[in-house]
Amino acid sequence: MKKTIDIRSDTLTCPTEKMREVIANAEVGDDVFGEDPTVNKLQAMVAKILGKEAALFVVSGTMGNQTCISAHTIPGGEVICEYNSHIFNYEGGAPATLSGVQLHPLMGKRGIISASRIEAVIRPPDHHYPHSQLITLENTHNRGGGSVFPIEEMKAIYKLAQKNNLKVHLDGARLWHAAIATGISLQEYSRYCDSVTVCLSKGLGAPVGSVVAGSEDFIDKVHRYRKIFGGGMRQAGIIAAAGIYAIENHFERLHDDHRRAKELAVELNRLPGIIIDPEEVETNLVILKMEVSRHSPGEWCKKMKQEGILMFPFGEDRVRMVTHFHITDNDIDTVIDCFKKYW
Ligand SMILES: *Cc1c(COP(=O)(O)O)cnc(C)c1O
């Protein structure tokens, strides 16, 4: 049978045989009592990798971001974020529901916003205004096409935040990819934020979970919100083991995903009516713009599905593809061939 090439998302990866083995053999305990040795090991490991005092295993990236927003703010506050960010678009309006804060989105360029733009919207201390309390950044940026947030800009934003008594949270669901793409360490990226969320279930390929990191005091607060939001887990070592395995074995290989994404972009950009700047494909996301008079994204994705290739329509004139560890060089060739044949 022909293999389905599922290139819709890097969340589609399934645990490998080896990963299933470490899951089966994981040492476990009750993590609500703080007694799961595998969870504790994962948390210590991620805290170290990110250069933070402490870390906490959470169910999802959304729970990571939202527990941090709750821990950083008080109701009536305002969170400055980017217009296309995950926190603004894909977390169900959680900041209003769970933390009683409002979001102040700024339109960035491929998800990147500057310190000077942020400075212009920090509220003066006047009772009319919501209180600016937190800035959230996303690195790499999902809707920005996997763009890497420049470290110099992060540095400037962190400095601005400190000057104005604001906190910075980094949604680093794909921070792994930023580090691989630039060679800048995860620790260096985490230096310019007060808290950070990283996902284990995307490029790294673990089945479940994210980790939040920050200072000891901060993580203590996050721990309480995790409980309140229903995220206390018991023998979670079962899934934490997969996370440890993923970090140890699937981090460096992200280079391959990036190379394959770049190759897709270079080849598809040659086709008339498809626009994607290969220079802008910095990591594993490929979002191409298409001339809709030839094919609409929905219709194109249907056509590709008949050929056994799954991709996502992304807005009215775009299609998204994401490379991940089930996608091989051969698969990339097949995708390119299909575009050439049917476009
Ligand atoms: C996937 C993702 C998240 C978290 O998503 P969950 O489905 O809640 O794990 C957060 N931020 C970004 C940028 C993401 O891509």
Side-chain angles (χ1 to χ4, degrees):
M1 211 179 75
K2 211 168 89 180
K3 173 190 175 189
T4 298
I5 301 172
D6 197 342
I7 204 164
R8 286 172 301 165
S9 176
D10 48 7
T11 56
L12 293 157
T13 54
C14 293
T16 60
E17 279 306 312
K18 285 230 172 89
M19 195 183 272
R20 284 172 185 273
E21 242 168 68
V22 300
I23 290 170
N25 295 319
E27 223 187 304
V28 296
D30 189 333
D31 181 53
V32 172
F33 294 174
E35 291 176 6
D36 187 303
T38 310
V39 170
N40 290 339
K41 185 178 164 189
L42 170 68
Q43 290 172 169
M45 179 181 177
V46 175
K48 189 165 175 223
I49 291 174
L50 297 175
K52 296 290 190 197
E53 282 173 11
L56 192 74
F57 188 39
V58 291
V59 171
S60 65
T62 299
M63 183 176 278
N65 288 335
Q66 296 304 325
T67 48
C68 285
I69 289 174
S70 285
H72 278 309
T73 60
I74 52 171
E78 188 169 66
V79 178
I80 301 167
C81 64
E82 199 276 328
Y83 185 81
N84 279 305
S85 65
H86 198 276
I87 286 173
F88 185 51
N89 292 281
Y90 299 131
E91 301 190 7
T97 317
L98 301 176
S99 302
V101 295
Q102 71 182 26
L103 299 179
H104 188 144
L106 297 174
M107 180 64 86
K109 192 164 177 246
R110 299 175 60 236
I112 313 305
I113 44 178
S114 67
S116 59
R117 295 265 318 281
I118 293 171
E119 188 167 24
V121 301
I122 295 175
R123 309 280 188 173
D126 176 311
H127 290 327
H128 288 85
Y129 298 120
H131 292 166
S132 307
Q133 293 172 345
L134 176 66
I135 300 164
T136 64
L137 305 176
E138 187 173 313
N139 195 7
T140 65
H141 200 288
N142 182 356
R143 282 206 355 189
S147 51
V148 175
F149 208 105
I151 191 98
E152 288 308 319
E153 204 57 52
M154 285 183 69
K155 218 183 266 188
I157 291 168
Y158 194 48
K159 209 166 145 196
L160 172 75
Q162 289 182 314
K163 201 177 89 190
N164 289 277
N165 242 336
L166 270 69
K167 300 294 181 190
V168 176
H169 172 72
L170 176 60
D171 177 356
R174 295 191 182 83
L175 190 64
W176 315 102
H177 298 79
I180 288 290
T182 59
I184 296 168
S185 71
L186 292 157
Q187 221 176 76
E188 179 68 10
Y189 276 118
S190 310
R191 187 167 290 158
Y192 308 110
C193 61
D194 298 288
S195 59
V196 50
T197 307
V198 290
C199 285
L200 304 170
S201 58
K202 294 208 168 142
L204 295 185
V208 186
S210 287
V211 182
V212 175
S215 70
E216 200 103 42
D217 285 349
F218 178 78
I219 292 299
D220 190 55
K221 273 178 137 179
V222 170
H223 201 154
R224 177 169 157 71
Y225 284 109
R226 185 183 74 173
K227 187 68 192 167
I228 293 172
F229 297 168
M233 295 183 282
R234 301 294 177 175
Q235 284 72 30
I238 295 282
I239 45 178
I244 294 170
Y245 181 88
I247 294 169
E248 284 174 346
N249 296 282
H250 294 167
F251 176 48
E252 286 297 331
R253 65 152 306 287
L254 293 177
H255 280 294
D256 294 333
D257 294 346
H258 296 182
R259 174 177 57 73
R260 290 177 182 130
K262 180 81 89 181
E263 191 184 331
L264 262 183
V266 168
E267 290 302 320
L268 299 182
N269 188 46
R270 293 186 209 280
L271 297 174
I274 288 186
I275 303 168
I276 172 139
D277 181 352
E279 285 299 309
E280 289 188 352
V281 176
E282 299 172 83
T283 56
N284 67 327
L285 272 69
V286 181
I287 299 177
L288 39 95
K289 196 166 149 59
M290 53 213 307
E291 222 168 69
V292 292
S293 54
R294 282 173 186 259
H295 302 279
S296 74
E299 174 211 324
W300 180 251
C301 291
K302 253 187 224 154
K303 172 79 209 150
M304 288 294 98
K305 193 174 174 186
Q306 287 165 4
E307 298 303 310
I309 301 168
L310 304 182
M311 53 187 76
F312 251 159
F314 208 66
E316 57 194 31
D317 60 353
R318 280 161 220 264
V319 161
R320 189 184 88 160
M321 289 175 275
V322 188
T323 55
H324 53 77
F325 75 59
H326 295 327
I327 301 296
T328 64
D329 286 329
N330 261 339
D331 296 337
I332 296 295
D333 290 343
T334 306
V335 173
I336 292 167
D337 288 346
C338 266
F339 263 88
K340 284 186 179 158
K341 191 163 162 198
Y342 296 107
W343 176 251

